[in-house]
Structure formats: C-alpha cells, structure tokens
Amino acid sequence: MADIRQNDIESRSAPRDEDGSASVSRLAWVSSGLGLLLFLGSVGVLGYEGVTRGSGPPVITAVVEAVVPAGPRWLAHIQVTNDGGKTGAKVQVEGQLMAGDEALETATAEFDYVPAGSEQKGGLFFDRDPRAHTLRLRVLGYVEP
Amino acid sequence: MDITRQRSFLHDEAQFARALARASAGAIIFALPLLMTMEMWELGFYMDRFRLALFILVTLPVLFGLSYFAGFEETFCWQDDLIDALSAFAVGFLMSAALLTVFAIVRLDQPLPEIIGKIALQSVPASIGAMLARKQLGQQDDADRERRIRSSYPGELFLMGAGALFVGFNVAPTEEMILISYKMSPWHAVALAVLSLGLLHIFVYTVGFAGQESAGDDGFLSVFLRFSVAGYGIALLISLYLLWTFERIAGLSMMELVTATVVLGFPSALGAATARLIV
C-alpha cells in the first residue's frame, strides 16, 4: 500500500496530459479503501467469532414471553435461546399445560435453525388459558445441520 | 509507468464511476441464483467461522488474478489490479448486503456475526461477478491482452481454476450435491468422471485455448494432458475444497467422498472448460 501512495504522490507532481489526470481518481481510492475495510472487517469479525465461540454442543433454552388471546384460543409467545457453541437444526419445543402432575394439553413447535448465540421466536396455541395453569416448556431435541 | 497508468480508466472519475456501475450490475446478475438459495443463508450463520474466514481470504487473490486477466476495467500495473480487486469486493459486499436486507434475510435484530456471515458468504460470488462484468457487459478485450493471456500457461491454469470455482460455487451449497452422490453407484461415478473429462477436452479444444495456434502446433496428447487432464485435476481439487468449506464431507466414507467430489467436479469441469467464455 505504501508503494501505491508513493507512486500516487509522484504522479501527482508529474505533468498531466489530455488523456486524464495522472493520479488515481478519488473515487477509486474511496471504493478500494471501502473494500479493504469491509474485507478486513468481515475476516476480523469471523475470526474473532471463531476464536471466542466455543465448539461445544447447542445449549438451547425456551421461555414464555407473553400469553395473548388468539381468536377462540390462546397463544403463548415463546423465545428460544442458544448459548452453546454450535447451531441446532429442527429444534423441537413442547409446551404442556399442567394440572398437578397431569398434562391437560400439549402443543409443539419446531424451529428450523437456532444459530449459536442467537434467539428465535415462535408460538404455541392452547384451548385453555395458559395463565390459569402451569405452562411447562421443554426443548425436546435438535439435529446437527 | 506513469504514461501507461494515465491510460487506465481508474484515473478518470467519470470512467471509473461507469465501471463501478457496471460492476454493480455484474454483481447482482452473477450472484442472483445464490442470493436466492436457502442453503446460502443458512451456511452464512452455521458454517465453521474459520472456514468462512479462509474462504473470504482466498477470494482476494482470485479477484486480483481476475483483474489482471480480465477486470471490469483495463489495468496496467499491479497497484491498479489491487485497487480493482478491493473495489470489486466492496461492490460485491454492498450489493449482497442491500439485496439480503430487501429479501428480509438480514435483519438488524440479528446478532452481528450472523449478519456478517450471511453477507460475507454472498459477497464471494457477488464480487467475482462484479469483476466479470467487464467481459460480459462491457467492451471486449483487445487483441494484445488476449495474446498475453493465451501465451501464459500458468495464466490458463488460473483461469480454469477461477472458472471451476465460480461455476462449482453456484451449485456447491445445495443439498442436491450430496443427494446425487448417494443415489449413484460407483459405476455411475466412473461414467460421470469420464463424461466430465471428455466434455472438458471438447470444450477446451473447440472453444477454449487451442482454438487457434495451439491446435496446429501441439498434438492431441499434448493438449489433452496439458489442458484437459490438468484442468480436470484443478476442478476436482476445487470441488473438494468447496465441499470441505461448506461442511458437506464430515462423516462421509471414502467412497462417498470421492463420489461427491466427482459430482461437484462435473459443473466445476464445465466451468474450467468455458472459463475463456465467461472470464
């Protein structure tokens, strides 16, 4: 890079002819500088992510965010979070409305992907109001992508 | 050198702006199939970070070489080629970012590494497309440049490699590569390898490198070994590298690995053979 700059300074002092300016145009500097920035930036972010992100299995948890009426039924908004090192695919989440030890109702949802370090949202439908019962959420399993 | 540098487009603001616009069009057109491929979005966030970083690193020398042989504008020294390669990466990255955002594949509420991963992976074909825009959308190479490229054997091999990478990359991320190899028997694989090599040779011989002078000077065996066999070898190596990059070969037996490489080697070989048409 220093070589180019040197060259640029040299050519700037050189006489110009009708063919155009002798120095590299400002637009070329801007676009190639931006390219260098994006190049180093993406390699840097990916490298940093590769170093800091563990290589352990997916650790996926699910929580209920809110319960709202949905037509004649009830909808529980859920959010799954993957704190592990790898992405889980086809992540199945099961929600059960419990009355004591007995499950009154079961609903499931499947997430295509829960990438490592990210959150995904979904919902479970129930006939009964989940707020009147205990809602037990379980992440059942995943496959490696 | 200053005299030749003055002739280059990139010393003229308006000319360079036109070249950038053409590069943007090339980035969109060439990367469109991959921008609209589901596996590419998914690979962007789940593929191994180091393999993706390495893939981005490999892209820059490829862009540099493509600029030397056929950039989106005429270049006359290596500094110009470096500027063009970096500009093509910028164009490819920004076009990928814009289109993935419009497609709602990239959203601001996603974690930064996920966003960067998706865009960076797409920027590889997009920046190569930006670099190829001149040949496809702009004016043709002049005779001197053609001669310079044709006279250099390493240059020919590089172009075949770049063609194999570009065409192979267009299908490598899809599930079908592995699915096809599961369906094939070893005899199917042998037949496909023979077919790939045969087509590669026919393309090289008729539309490729040996079209003019070489055909007269060199015998069949020389062209076959120097271009067709060498080109198929490059295509297979690049196929294996792509399969490894996209984590398609983990857990495969040796037989399945070879079959999958031969399957991807087919489009790669055709890419290598037609590199002179594309590049």
Side-chain angles (χ1 to χ4, degrees):
Chain A
M1 286 305 284
D3 192 31
I4 306 175
R5 273 178 219 288
Q6 190 61 38
N7 203 333
D8 188 36
I9 292 161
E10 274 169 20
S11 51
R12 219 178 275 256
S13 57
R16 297 169 178 226
D17 64 11
E18 71 275 10
D19 249 339
S21 75
S23 64
V24 172
S25 78
R26 220 159 4 110
L27 189 60
W29 280 116
V30 169
S31 66
S32 59
L34 188 63
L36 187 66
L37 200 72
L38 291 171
F39 177 77
L40 294 178
S42 36
V43 171
V45 168
L46 292 170
Y48 178 78
E49 177 76 358
V51 172
T52 53
R53 188 201 280 182
S55 56
V59 179
I60 302 170
T61 50
V63 292
V64 178
E65 285 200 308
V67 176
V68 294
R73 307 178 71 201
W74 297 87
L75 169 62
H77 288 288
I78 61 171
Q79 173 176 306
V80 290
T81 310
N82 184 355
D83 296 316
K86 287 196 174 132
T87 294
K90 297 192 177 139
V91 176
Q92 290 167 317
V93 178
E94 182 189 71
Q96 287 181 313
L97 290 188
M98 306 298 289
D101 282 345
E102 192 191 355
L104 299 170
E105 235 184 291
T106 303
T108 60
E110 187 182 90
F111 294 85
D112 281 347
Y113 290 94
V114 185
S118 89
E119 298 153 354
Q120 299 283 314
K121 292 179 194 302
L124 297 171
F125 290 108
F126 294 100
D127 290 332
R128 301 173 179 82
D129 186 350
R131 285 172 294 193
H133 304 83
T134 308
L135 175 51
R136 189 172 76 161
L137 276 185
R138 290 195 303 156
V139 179
L140 297 180
Y142 73 94
V143 298
E144 285 188 9
Chain B
M1 192 171 65
D2 276 348
I3 295 162
T4 52
R5 280 169 65 83
Q6 282 165 17
R7 289 174 56 209
S8 184
F9 281 2
L10 62 79
H11 306 289
D12 183 315
E13 204 95 356
Q15 297 256 45
F16 193 76
R18 258 198 300 282
L20 278 185
R22 199 155 55 212
S24 309
I28 294 176
I29 290 170
F30 281 94
L32 205 53
L34 285 172
L35 278 164
M36 294 180 143
T37 297
M38 187 171 69
E39 286 91 340
M40 283 289 284
W41 318 328
E42 295 160 356
L43 282 164
F45 62 73
Y46 78 66
M47 74 186 278
D48 186 271
R49 299 291 97 177
F50 290 123
R51 292 184 197 190
L52 182 52
L54 179 68
F55 198 44
I56 309 297
L57 280 175
V58 165
T59 305
L60 201 61
V62 172
L63 289 175
F64 184 84
L66 282 174
S67 168
Y68 179 74
F69 291 117
F72 56 78
E73 55 144 27
E74 297 264 1
T75 54
F76 296 93
C77 61
W78 69 267
Q79 288 96 335
D80 289 0
D81 287 324
L82 185 63
I83 288 177
D84 278 9
L86 288 171
S87 300
F89 188 83
V91 166
F93 194 96
L94 294 178
M95 285 297 139
S96 304
L99 282 176
L100 287 177
T101 307
V102 170
F103 294 158
I105 308 301
V106 162
R107 291 193 316 272
L108 287 177
D109 60 350
Q110 291 163 338
L112 183 68
E114 185 180 336
I115 296 176
I116 297 291
K118 285 177 184 172
I119 298 174
L121 182 60
Q122 292 285 359
S123 63
V124 174
S127 55
I128 293 178
M131 196 49 100
L132 298 183
R134 176 167 167 274
K135 176 74 173 183
Q136 294 299 314
L137 307 174
Q139 71 273 50
Q140 293 298 305
D141 289 323
D142 61 60
D144 280 349
R145 286 179 64 81
E146 283 290 306
R147 211 166 295 127
R148 179 173 93 187
I149 295 163
R150 282 178 194 281
S151 62
S152 136
Y153 182 61
E156 301 278 22
L157 291 187
F158 169 80
L159 281 186
M160 287 204 277
L165 179 71
F166 187 70
V167 178
F169 189 6
N170 264 282
V171 287
T174 61
E175 303 273 353
E176 281 83 347
M177 288 305 109
I178 297 299
L179 190 62
I180 291 172
S181 68
Y182 285 162
K183 289 179 179 293
M184 286 165 74
S185 73
W187 294 113
H188 286 101
V190 170
L192 186 60
V194 170
L195 183 69
S196 305
L197 186 56
L199 282 179
L200 176 60
H201 180 71
I202 291 170
F203 280 19
V204 164
Y205 202 77
T206 54
V207 303
F209 320 104
Q212 288 87 34
E213 63 266 61
S214 305
D217 304 341
D218 303 340
F220 165 81
L221 202 63
S222 174
V223 172
F224 185 72
L225 288 178
R226 281 172 61 229
F227 292 110
S228 308
V229 174
Y232 191 52
I234 290 172
L236 285 182
L237 283 178
I238 285 177
S239 302
L240 188 60
Y241 172 67
L242 285 172
L243 288 172
W244 176 80
T245 297
F246 296 142
E247 299 181 57
R248 291 283 190 240
I249 58 174
L252 291 186
S253 73
M254 186 51 86
M255 188 62 224
E256 288 164 335
L257 174 61
V258 170
T259 312
T261 309
V262 168
V263 168
L264 184 56
F266 181 62
S268 299
L270 292 184
T274 53
R276 290 295 323 125
L277 297 180
I278 304 169
V279 177

